[in-house]
Amino acid sequence: GDTHDIGKNLVKIMSESGGFEVYDLGRDVPLDEFITTAEEKECDFICMSTLMTTTMPGMRTVIEKLKEKNIRDNYKVLIGGGPVSQKYADEIGADAYTVDAAACVKKMKELMGI
């Protein structure tokens, strides 16, 4: 339900500039699509963002679905956006929260050992 995408677009541009291949799912993404795409494309990361508190529970749902499928450890899950925080990332079991696009790329490199 979140149609904001400026932050997502900045993360995409910065990640690609940082050497990462990005599969941009757009905005207002069905939750299962995060997992389906990650499996099909053999991704290392699932990144989600929101600017609305009403869509924050979807982040937790994606992580729960990964656990249900026994594939949670296959992906590093990063979250961002105005209403989320490291505390929320910890609560839902995400691997990291980043405050902006530059920090996201830095954290991705750190998690990859680059």
Side-chain angles (χ1 to χ4, degrees):
D2 194 342
T3 59
H4 300 91
D5 66 354
I6 293 172
K8 172 196 65 71
N9 292 339
L10 290 171
V11 170
K12 176 185 177 190
I13 291 166
M14 295 288 291
S15 297
E16 288 174 337
S17 296
F20 291 96
E21 186 173 3
V22 176
Y23 299 97
D24 183 354
L25 303 182
R27 58 185 184 191
D28 195 18
V29 179
L31 300 179
D32 288 331
E33 193 169 335
F34 286 100
I35 298 169
T36 301
T37 301
E39 289 182 298
E40 288 174 358
K41 304 295 185 181
E42 299 180 359
C43 297
D44 295 310
F45 295 95
I46 294 176
C47 299
M48 299 177 282
S49 69
T50 186
L51 282 179
M52 298 171 49
T53 58
T54 56
T55 58
M56 287 171 58
M59 295 173 165
R60 181 188 306 268
T61 300
V62 170
I63 292 169
E64 289 171 354
K65 287 176 178 265
L66 290 169
K67 289 176 183 176
E68 288 169 10
K69 294 177 74 115
N70 293 317
I71 58 173
R72 173 60 185 93
D73 292 339
N74 294 356
Y75 307 100
K76 299 295 184 196
V77 178
L78 280 71
I79 65 168
V84 299
S85 63
Q86 184 61 54
K87 180 181 178 201
Y88 186 68
D90 294 341
E91 286 175 17
I92 66 172
D95 293 291
Y97 155 79
T98 59
V99 68
D100 60 29
C104 182
V105 174
K106 183 177 179 181
K107 179 57 77 172
M108 289 167 66
K109 287 183 175 186
E110 178 185 312
L111 290 170
M112 292 294 291
I114 299 173

